[in-house]
Amino acid sequence: MNSSTDAQSLAPAESSTLAQNITLGSVVAIIGNILISLSFQVQKLVHKSNTDGKRSYLSFPAWWLGLILMAVGEVGNFLA
């Protein structure tokens, strides 16, 4: 068996795997950025709804949801 023939037969599979990895990384990065944008909007909503300023924003569950969404989005960007 010729080694160059073996290398040529593996090339399409490696190319397909590379394309899948690039696609997966792109999708994870896009989802991560969407989650980060959503987290900013949730936290902004909490800050705007606390107009009297008597309650700390840390006491709002929605603010914590925004923080968790941001963390998940950043992890997604790091993995991508």
Side-chain angles (χ1 to χ4, degrees):
M1 219 175 206
N2 189 353
S3 62
S4 66
T5 306
D6 292 339
Q8 290 174 353
S9 67
L10 291 176
E14 290 174 0
S15 175
S16 175
T17 303
L18 179 63
Q20 289 173 347
N21 287 343
I22 290 173
T23 303
L24 179 62
S26 298
V27 169
V28 169
I30 290 169
I31 291 172
N33 285 324
I34 289 171
L35 288 176
I36 291 168
S37 296
L38 182 63
S39 76
F40 283 136
Q41 295 304 315
V42 169
Q43 288 180 332
K44 180 180 173 182
L45 178 70
V46 171
H47 285 286
K48 283 189 171 191
S49 68
N50 190 17
T51 55
D52 60 0
K54 293 182 181 180
R55 279 181 68 187
S56 170
Y57 59 88
L58 297 174
S59 65
F60 290 92
W63 188 88
W64 288 102
L65 173 67
L67 184 68
I68 290 168
L69 288 173
M70 184 180 300
V72 171
E74 291 294 348
V75 167
N77 279 340
F78 178 76
L79 291 176

